[in-house]
Amino acid sequence: MSLDISSPQATYAAKAVKVSKIYGQGDAAVRALDSVSVGFPTGRFTAIMGPSGSGKSTLMHCLAGLDTVTSGNVYVGQTDLSTLDDKALTQLRRDQVGFIFQAYNLLPTLTALENITLPLDLAGRKPDQAWLDQVIDTVGLRPRLTHRPTELSGGQQQRVAVARALATRPKIVFADEPTGNLDSRAGAEVLGFLRQSVDDLAQTIVMVTHDPTAAGYADSAVFLADGHIVDEMEGPTAERVLDRLKTLEG
Ligand SMILES: Nc1ncnc2c1ncn2[C@@H]1O[C@H](COP(=O)(O)OP(=O)(O)O)[C@@H](O)[C@H]1O
Ligand SMILES: [Mg+2]
């Protein structure tokens, strides 16, 4: 996952090359990211970990084209986001990137199915029915498709949000603390579906979390501290992640 910029073979669904992000100016300036280089391999589930304020959300927002960088470059697939105008960036976000947030952000007046297909409808795209069926079955929502969000549990609502993020078959899915609002059982369910979407649907997922148990579902973890990548871990387990976080916070 260390970014080997010299290797043209490595395929990253998204990567950051020497990305810095500074909020504010003068005395109030905060360097949230300090020359971060990291790549997220296609078809893998990567967790971004680190103490509160270490730059996790900032990194994710920059990678997803939701925020601009102060310096450096972000690529989604082969596309350098800095070369895109607003319209092209909006289109890339819509067509190639999926988002899952802590708050599910479902529309209350729409059914589960209507929420799932909303990004496609907004883009004027016809759903790929076979793909959509596969996504719905992977997240186990078939019996709930006509329900509105208020008729669903938190875990079910987040599963709708997962399905919505996958519906466009994006190049990469970004999840920021996706289980932050869920109890541990519902959280485990959602993490299991994220895992399955990588294993069964070959999706690429980048998940920001401070929860070692959540990181245990990922193929690898990168650790941020003070805007720097300070470590990486292959095959993270909750226990090893917890130990590593203790040294970062201690
Ligand atoms: N919009 C903003 N304006 C000013 N400072 C910000 C803004 N967003 C984040 N920061 C600062 O940048 C640093 C990294 O924040 P963030 O990426 O949210 O960390 P994390 O997600 O790891 O908790 C923190 O010091 C935070 O206070
Ligand atoms: Mg955050």
Side-chain angles (χ1 to χ4, degrees):
M1 169 154 20
S2 265
L3 192 55
D4 184 359
I5 301 163
S6 62
S7 163
Q9 278 86 358
T11 62
Y12 297 109
K15 65 183 175 185
V17 181
K18 296 187 181 161
V19 164
S20 294
K21 174 69 180 181
I22 299 169
Y23 290 111
Q25 290 181 343
D27 286 351
V30 174
R31 188 176 284 268
L33 295 175
D34 190 7
S35 197
V36 167
S37 293
V38 62
F40 298 93
T42 300
R44 304 239 312 166
F45 186 177
T46 308
I48 300 177
M49 311 270 323
S52 179
S54 58
K56 303 184 295 296
S57 294
T58 302
L59 177 59
M60 195 197 90
H61 290 156
C62 290
L63 284 164
L66 293 171
D67 203 350
T68 55
V69 303
T70 306
S71 63
N73 298 85
V74 169
Y75 297 80
V76 170
Q78 302 300 316
T79 306
D80 179 345
L81 298 193
S82 69
T83 65
L84 303 179
D85 60 19
D86 278 354
K87 195 175 160 217
L89 186 60
T90 301
Q91 200 170 344
L92 175 136
R93 275 200 306 257
R94 197 182 64 198
D95 295 339
Q96 300 193 35
V97 180
F99 297 100
I100 303 163
F101 296 101
Q102 185 169 336
Y104 328 119
N105 294 335
L106 302 180
L107 291 185
T109 57
L110 301 183
T111 65
L113 181 61
E114 288 164 346
N115 268 288
I116 292 168
T117 57
L118 185 63
L120 291 162
D121 295 340
L122 290 176
R125 276 168 63 184
K126 259 174 75 92
D128 171 344
Q129 195 59 47
W131 172 255
L132 199 58
D133 280 337
Q134 216 181 339
V135 167
I136 288 166
D137 289 329
T138 300
V139 298
L141 283 168
R142 181 78 53 202
R144 296 279 180 276
L145 290 179
T146 60
H147 290 55
R148 289 181 211 286
T150 52
E151 300 161 345
L152 299 170
S153 69
Q156 288 167 342
Q157 289 183 60
Q158 191 61 308
R159 277 150 58 184
V160 173
V162 171
R164 179 182 56 187
L166 298 175
T168 57
R169 205 164 194 168
K171 195 158 264 153
I172 188 161
V173 171
F174 293 102
D176 196 353
E177 302 277 4
T179 56
N181 279 343
L182 301 176
D183 62 41
S184 61
R185 210 190 99 215
E189 243 174 54
V190 166
L191 289 162
F193 293 125
L194 291 177
R195 179 71 254 170
Q196 234 175 304
S197 73
V198 173
D199 292 339
D200 298 352
L201 308 175
Q203 283 289 296
T204 305
I205 295 183
V206 175
M207 173 178 70
V208 168
T209 181
H210 66 268
D211 175 6
T213 306
Y217 286 78
D219 295 306
S220 56
V222 296
F223 293 82
L224 275 175
D226 292 331
H228 296 269
I229 302 240
V230 291
D231 202 3
E232 300 172 4
M233 192 182 280
E234 284 298 307
T237 63
E239 200 175 26
R240 285 172 63 220
V241 167
L242 188 60
D243 285 346
R244 192 67 189 87
L245 286 178
K246 274 185 196 150
T247 66
L248 291 178
E249 277 163 9

